[in-house]
Amino acid sequence: MSESPSQEEPKPAQENGEENKERKQEATNRNEPIEENGEENKERKQEATNRNEPIESSQSSAPSSALDFNKDGEEETTDEIKSEESKLEEQPGISTVKESKIEISKNVVIREPASVVFNLDQTVLDSKLDLPWKKNLFERVEARAQAMQQKILDKDKLKKELEKQAEKKIPKETLAKEWFNIDNMTLNTRAYLLDKLLPTLVAGMEHIVSRMKEKIKEKQEQRETISQVKVQVANLRKQALQEQFNEWILDPKGTIPMKVYISAHIADLKSEIFEELLKHLCHSADEFREVIKTDMRRQMFVEVFLHCDCGKVGFLNRQRTLALLETFYDQSPTMLRRLLRNPRQWPLLEFEEIELPEFWGDKDNQKHIYEDFDNVFLEMNTSLSEKNASTKQKQQRETIAGQDPNKILNEDLNSESITAQGQPKGATVRPGSRRGHFLLDLLETAKKKVEKDKACEPKSQKIEGKPWPGELLTCDLKKYVKCEDEEQAKLIYGNSRFTDLHSIIRNIQSYKEVKGRSAFNGVSLNLLQFVQFLETFVGEDAPLSASETLTSFFKWGYAETKEEKMRDLEEAIQNTSQIRRGLLLEALFQLWDSDGSGFLDLNEVDELLYTYKEGMEKEAMKTAKLHIQFPKPHPGQEVRLSSKQFQKYIELVVSELRGNEDQVLESLVEFLMTTLERSHFEGLRNSARRKWLHQIQHAAETSGVSLEPVYTETFKALTQDAQVHGNKKISAHISLLEENRLLPHRGAVLLRNVACTLDDAPFVLNKVLYRDMKGISFTVIDKGKPVHVPQVQHHGNIFFWNDSRKENEKNGSFLALPLQNAHMRIFGVLAIDTLRDPQKINIFLPHEIRFYQGVANVFSTAYHYVHSREHILHVVITGISWLYDIIPDINAISTYFIEPSPEQGSDYVLRNMMVTGPLGLTEIHKNPPTIFRKTCIFRDFLFKCIDSSEVLLASVCGENHIAIPLRERTGEALGALDFNIGKRKMLFYREFKDLQKMVKVTQAACYEILDELSGEKEKNRVLEIENAGEVQQAGVLFFRIMLQELQKSLRQLTSMDFVSLLLYDYRSAIQSNKSLTASQLHELEANAKLVPEILTAVILFIHPELESSHELEIWDKCKLYFNKHLVDSICAFDPTEKNVKVNLKLIGNYLKGHSRINVWKSHSIVMEYLYHWSHICLALIELKIKLSGAIIPPLPSKTDSCVYAKMPGASLLGKC
């Protein structure tokens, strides 16, 4: 019986070892591919076929084809062929050696069909059944062999294609090899070719070499020419820079007062870029001249201040300064008065100093900041247009007269206009023609004349005839202004009585990072504010002689009586004393509150105070307690005093004691300081904790209006203190209260986890806790005090966010603290636990709990600090949207907030929070750009505005700016609004008044937001929509304050203001002016409809039931509804009430046809008030309709780089 394939295990075929080894060695010596032992492989293949076994070829390659050569004659192929072969080499199990004219590769695994054997006996069948694994093995091997076979077939097909491509190219090495072939058959042929062909080849090679030498010489000459040209260009550029250097004002040493390295960077610039650089330097030189002129002017004003401040108190009276400016303005000639700014108008006057009717209803153009600006501007534009037209005609006549009459180009030059690209319209210029050359030369000359910049003309080295001393003396006026708290701190450092407080006061001073801002108080002006005030009055266009005249006038006119000087001196002393008291009491409070909790127990304070002078002043101290309103007692009848409340209480106690108040206070502070017993370790722990608490507030101030850094620093403070002072590993999360709108049956409010430590994020973040769930957080909210659970495994009412935690892992302590705002209202919970601590029992100690209370307190302050800035941005966006629809010509409005500088020794930086473009669309930045003072040499007007907290008008790069500070309640600036009005010197009077309205309302809204969040005032809710929440209130606050201003103004109107408006007969006015043109008549008809339609719209707000009445269409009947009762209803109208339902479309149809300009030209105060009142009501109603999403502040999310916003309601306003 024949042997069955299954009776023998398959073995891979192997090479003949010795023979292959010798052949490999031989191939290696010849540097040829190694070939297999063909006969041996053939026999083994046959044997494997008979046994039905797979054949595995050796790793050697097949013989080379006719195009394969040794190392000296190796084939040269293209990069494409090589890349294809490299791809083949990367395929596993496939050889990459070329095999031509071979039908099937020797690397192919062939498996023939198994032979069918009949009449097998049972033993064979049984053996097959006993070995099923062999069948599976053969099936897998067969599948693999077929796959490998297909790959090899594909490879062979690709190789054939590559070989066909290679055969088309004969390598140079092949020719060389043929020449040196020693075969006798071809020797005579080669000798003949050498005799006949070599001379021709030599001649050809000589010719090629000659041409190569010529090209090399040509290249050398080109390089020399280019080098010479580069040298000439470099010399010309150096000469141009030298000429440009003369454009700058030089100091006495003949240098520019700044390090400028230009020559090293201009070598590789293109000509166009170099010309632009020269132009930029010319304009920068002009800007620098203006900087020097401003510095010289400011030096004059500094001298005036120092001369008038006889008592050296550091400030001058603001009202007396205004009075002198008004006198100087009235006595100035008309031409100078048009350059000066009117001191009776904003910004020299504050909004509080302008009467409400004048602010909202004054339409006298003569009261502009620039006298008669509107008329002068219009006359100037008209004269410039006429002048340009006459100049153009004159130039055309000169061009025609100066041309050669024999040339035929006159008609072409008169009929063809030159485009912006320098090519004539409607003509085709042939470059080779005489006419074409002439036209091109003419165009190039005209183009150069147009591009010539007048700013680069030679200028004098003097400023209005005055030489420059070479130093900018007033570039930093803050050095003239004393920082009183630093002066008082130095005095305390020198007093040995308060040694224990020195380190604390140093920390307080170091933590006060934003310094150098002057507070506006409306009564006095320090040196910085005085100089800025006079600079705003004089302006940038007035000559230095006008400033000299003003300084002489001030020195002569400013005089104070002896009583005024004494009063100013007493006020300065009182301010100094107040600053010293504040430093001592704040340091004493921090010494007393060694754990950083942020409060002191009133009973503990009284207990120590009553021991002063052995209790002799106890009654006086009890009397002082009658004059102060303490905060409400906490649960447990504990009255806690914050730092401000503690200072106020001690000052009241001192006022009841006998003796000089300053001496008594210092004596009391010394007594309390020495009585308090604090160890060195407690002092170090207190210092570390104060630093961590400061980092939380610092994160809020430098966050760019984002809470993420605040959360990060809060958890960092908790974990660091737990590790250093508690030897614990803690977890923490913050949850905030929200209104439960989706599932109200589970409670009116819910707690949402908004932040947590990193390890707990998968289980805690964004999770919600309802009242019907386990947990003690709502107990903390209800009771308003911390709850400490020492062992959570035994409590029974603790909710574990990580439900996969095992029972034996639920060991640890849990502490929940309420988060309270300045009004002591709870808005969230701070939760801390030790579940991740390896110790089984690890409770929170009392000093740790007190510090965590301090963290909760500082976090609350930082949280509301960020939200106050968010609300202010929301108000500003609303105000800007309102303004852009009535003043569309503003180029841009940029909003800035101040932040502590990241650099040591610097005061503050500005963050560009958002920019509003010409279309009124506001771009809000997620990561606001930072602006440093040192990088704003020519744009420092923003920092001047912040430093002085005053409005500043500046011109930068040909564009005019109005920088307006946003002030805190202290009078210091928290930010600024930069209005870019473009090339115009100033807005028209109507636009200027509307700008004032927007700024006044925005500042009033800022005051209200800051007062509410600081706890100084209770929340003011006027409109019904404001009760929906803080975010909703911020969204409507701008419109609500403006509505209140208008209602107050309407109440101040007399009945005659309304009667004179209603008695005017508009139809007779139209009929009496039939002689007007069609356009004039159309404008008159529009104005005639202004009053009836606006009054009709107002009536529909108060009486919406009249919308279907025909009486409103008849003017004589419609005006009867306008009475005192209607005016009272207007003044008390709340458009956001639920029962207010008006026809917005109908009212909008009455209003949309009347623009802001038409209302202004009507010269009616009543129409001015009612026009704004109607549009504000429409905006508020629209916000009420879109309450769910329209009022949310459009701040960027985590994934946004910026967002664009335009608040609703603005589109309802009439366009100009």
Side-chain angles (χ1 to χ4, degrees), residues 147-189:
M148 294 175 64
Q149 181 180 7
Q150 185 63 37
K151 288 183 180 179
I152 293 173
L153 290 175
D154 294 341
K155 183 202 82 167
D156 289 342
K157 183 178 179 180
L158 181 60
K159 277 187 176 183
K160 291 178 181 178
E161 294 179 358
L162 296 177
E163 288 168 359
K164 289 180 181 179
Q165 296 178 10
E167 288 175 356
K168 296 178 181 179
K169 294 185 178 180
I170 301 177
K172 298 176 181 178
E173 290 81 356
T174 305
L175 296 175
K177 185 176 179 181
E178 292 295 329
W179 273 103
F180 293 99
N181 194 339
I182 59 175
D183 188 1
N184 294 327
M185 296 291 295
T186 59
L187 185 60
N188 295 331
T189 305

Side-chain angles (χ1 to χ4, degrees), residues 983-1048:
K983 304 293 183 180
R984 300 166 61 184
K985 183 178 181 181
M986 180 50 63
L987 300 172
F988 289 121
Y989 186 60
R990 170 189 60 80
E991 300 171 332
F992 192 62
K993 294 293 289 185
D994 289 334
L995 173 65
Q996 294 179 47
K997 295 167 188 173
M998 179 264 178
V999 173
K1000 180 182 180 181
V1001 174
T1002 301
Q1003 183 63 72
C1006 289
Y1007 284 152
E1008 189 166 323
I1009 291 171
L1010 296 172
D1011 288 344
E1012 289 182 2
L1013 294 178
S1014 65
E1016 296 181 5
K1017 290 185 180 181
E1018 286 292 331
K1019 294 184 178 181
N1020 186 19
R1021 300 290 183 263
V1022 178
L1023 302 178
E1024 185 176 305
I1025 194 175
E1026 295 181 88
N1027 297 318
E1030 290 183 358
V1031 175
Q1032 285 75 13
Q1033 187 202 17
V1036 302
L1037 189 56
F1038 178 88
F1039 291 120
R1040 190 257 286 170
I1041 294 177
M1042 185 171 281
L1043 183 66
Q1044 288 180 298
E1045 289 258 324
L1046 289 167
Q1047 290 172 340
K1048 186 177 180 181

Side-chain angles (χ1 to χ4, degrees), residues 259-423:
K259 294 181 180 180
V260 181
Y261 303 96
I262 298 178
S263 299
H265 303 285
I266 64 172
D268 298 328
L269 293 181
K270 294 182 179 179
S271 300
E272 297 81 1
I273 299 178
F274 181 73
E275 291 178 3
E276 292 297 326
L277 174 63
L278 289 180
K279 285 187 178 182
H280 174 72
L281 291 175
C282 288
H283 289 298
S284 298
D286 290 340
E287 294 284 346
F288 187 62
R289 296 177 72 90
E290 291 299 322
V291 169
I292 296 174
K293 181 180 177 181
T294 301
D295 182 74
M296 297 172 70
R297 184 189 299 118
R298 290 166 75 89
Q299 290 181 39
M300 300 179 193
F301 297 156
V302 169
E303 293 177 3
V304 172
F305 182 89
L306 298 177
H307 178 271
C308 297
D309 184 20
C310 303
K312 304 305 176 185
V313 295
F315 56 84
L316 298 179
N317 186 275
R318 182 173 179 275
Q319 294 302 323
R320 180 174 282 105
T321 301
L322 267 176
L324 286 174
L325 292 181
E326 291 174 3
T327 304
F328 181 83
Y329 182 81
D330 294 338
Q331 295 177 358
S332 299
T334 304
M335 292 302 297
L336 178 59
R337 197 161 58 241
R338 288 183 175 178
L339 298 177
L340 302 176
R341 279 114 184 212
N342 192 344
R344 296 182 179 89
Q345 298 297 322
W346 182 83
L348 293 169
L349 276 186
E350 289 297 312
F351 295 127
E352 293 78 12
E353 298 171 330
I354 303 175
E355 296 293 333
L356 201 59
E358 181 182 355
F359 181 81
W360 278 93
D362 192 357
K363 299 186 178 184
D364 188 0
N365 293 343
Q366 299 296 326
K367 294 183 179 180
H368 202 296
I369 184 174
Y370 290 110
E371 184 180 272
D372 202 18
F373 174 80
D374 291 14
N375 296 332
V376 172
F377 185 81
L378 294 174
E379 291 175 1
M380 186 182 302
N381 283 347
T382 304
S383 62
L384 284 176
S385 300
E386 294 175 353
K387 183 178 180 181
N388 290 336
S390 61
T391 303
K392 186 176 181 180
Q393 293 176 359
K394 182 179 179 181
Q395 290 176 350
Q396 290 178 351
R397 289 195 299 269
E398 291 176 354
T399 302
I400 295 173
Q403 291 175 348
D404 190 352
N406 296 325
K407 295 183 179 181
I408 60 173
L409 299 174
N410 292 336
E411 183 177 355
D412 294 330
L413 293 176
N414 288 332
S415 61
E416 296 174 352
S417 60
I418 298 175
T419 63
Q421 288 77 16
Q423 297 294 334

Side-chain angles (χ1 to χ4, degrees), residues 25 38 171 230 299 336 349 426 466 542 546 570 614 836 1024 1135 1194:
Q25 183 65 33
K230 285 185 177 180
Q299 290 181 39
L336 178 59
L349 276 186
K466 300 178 183 294
E570 290 175 0
E614 299 180 353
R836 292 186 179 274
E1024 185 176 305

Side-chain angles (χ1 to χ4, degrees), residues 610-666:
Y610 291 160
T611 61
Y612 179 64
K613 290 186 178 181
E614 299 180 353
M616 296 178 61
E617 303 290 350
K618 184 176 181 179
E619 294 300 324
M621 294 179 180
K622 288 184 176 180
T623 304
K625 294 180 68 174
L626 302 176
H627 302 288
I628 185 174
Q629 183 178 358
F630 291 107
K632 296 179 181 180
H634 283 70
Q637 303 303 316
E638 178 188 14
V639 178
R640 298 176 180 177
L641 298 179
S642 65
S643 176
K644 291 183 179 180
Q645 294 165 343
F646 173 76
Q647 293 183 34
K648 186 176 181 180
Y649 179 43
I650 297 298
E651 288 178 352
L652 283 173
V653 169
V654 169
S655 65
E656 295 294 330
L657 302 180
R658 290 167 293 182
N660 182 273
E661 288 192 4
D662 291 337
Q663 296 177 0
V664 172
L665 183 132
E666 292 184 3

Side-chain angles (χ1 to χ4, degrees), residues 801-1050:
W801 293 105
N802 185 2
D803 53 6
S804 63
R805 189 185 296 273
K806 299 179 181 178
E807 290 296 329
N808 57 359
E809 296 177 352
K810 296 181 179 179
N811 300 324
S813 299
F814 180 73
L815 177 65
L817 303 103
L819 297 175
Q820 298 172 311
N821 61 13
H823 299 279
M824 305 306 294
R825 298 187 181 95
I826 297 175
F827 65 93
V829 173
L830 170 63
I832 310 164
D833 65 74
T834 61
L835 294 178
R836 292 186 179 274
D837 193 86
Q839 305 178 44
K840 292 184 178 181
I841 300 178
N842 201 340
I843 65 174
F844 293 107
L845 301 178
H847 74 88
E848 293 179 295
I849 297 177
R850 286 193 293 270
F851 173 67
Y852 296 155
Q853 287 179 297
V855 171
N857 182 37
V858 175
F859 170 79
S860 175
T861 303
Y863 175 86
H864 287 92
Y865 177 91
V866 173
H867 273 294
S868 67
R869 269 52 184 177
E870 286 183 354
H871 295 338
I872 290 173
L873 287 179
H874 203 170
V875 169
V876 172
I877 293 173
T878 309
I880 289 174
S881 299
W882 176 86
L883 183 67
Y884 257 94
D885 279 290
I886 54 179
I887 311 179
D889 295 333
I890 296 179
N891 284 16
I893 302 176
S894 300
T895 304
Y896 299 89
F897 280 158
I898 67 167
E899 287 187 0
S901 175
E903 298 180 355
Q904 293 292 336
S906 182
D907 43 9
Y908 64 87
V909 297
L910 295 177
R911 301 292 297 274
N912 189 354
M913 305 305 300
M914 56 189 186
V915 178
T916 307
L919 300 178
L921 194 64
T922 301
E923 179 184 356
I924 309 169
H925 304 120
K926 178 188 176 183
N927 187 17
T930 302
I931 302 175
F932 295 86
R933 186 190 297 268
K934 63 182 180 182
T935 61
C936 293
I937 300 175
F938 301 121
R939 299 177 64 90
D940 62 341
F941 63 94
L942 291 171
F943 289 91
K944 291 180 181 179
C945 172
I946 299 293
D947 291 341
S948 62
S949 191
E950 292 182 342
V951 179
L952 190 142
L953 287 77
S955 177
V956 180
C957 298
E959 294 183 332
N960 292 287
H961 295 255
I962 305 175
I964 302 172
L966 293 174
R967 296 171 181 154
E968 301 184 49
R969 271 300 184 184
T970 59
E972 296 176 326
L974 63 88
L977 299 177
D978 176 20
F979 293 84
N980 183 349
I981 60 176
K983 304 293 183 180
R984 300 166 61 184
K985 183 178 181 181
M986 180 50 63
L987 300 172
F988 289 121
Y989 186 60
R990 170 189 60 80
E991 300 171 332
F992 192 62
K993 294 293 289 185
D994 289 334
L995 173 65
Q996 294 179 47
K997 295 167 188 173
M998 179 264 178
V999 173
K1000 180 182 180 181
V1001 174
T1002 301
Q1003 183 63 72
C1006 289
Y1007 284 152
E1008 189 166 323
I1009 291 171
L1010 296 172
D1011 288 344
E1012 289 182 2
L1013 294 178
S1014 65
E1016 296 181 5
K1017 290 185 180 181
E1018 286 292 331
K1019 294 184 178 181
N1020 186 19
R1021 300 290 183 263
V1022 178
L1023 302 178
E1024 185 176 305
I1025 194 175
E1026 295 181 88
N1027 297 318
E1030 290 183 358
V1031 175
Q1032 285 75 13
Q1033 187 202 17
V1036 302
L1037 189 56
F1038 178 88
F1039 291 120
R1040 190 257 286 170
I1041 294 177
M1042 185 171 281
L1043 183 66
Q1044 288 180 298
E1045 289 258 324
L1046 289 167
Q1047 290 172 340
K1048 186 177 180 181
S1049 301
L1050 284 168

Side-chain angles (χ1 to χ4, degrees), residues 1075-1117:
S1075 60
L1076 298 176
T1077 62
S1079 60
Q1080 293 175 339
L1081 188 61
H1082 178 73
E1083 182 178 357
L1084 182 62
E1085 290 177 352
N1087 293 334
K1089 295 179 180 179
L1090 176 69
V1091 174
E1093 291 188 350
I1094 290 182
L1095 291 182
T1096 302
V1098 172
I1099 292 172
L1100 287 175
F1101 275 111
I1102 308 301
H1103 300 289
E1105 69 277 1
L1106 297 177
E1107 65 177 74
S1108 59
S1109 175
H1110 297 287
E1111 294 182 354
L1112 296 181
E1113 300 176 1
I1114 303 174
W1115 170 239
D1116 293 333
K1117 293 184 178 180

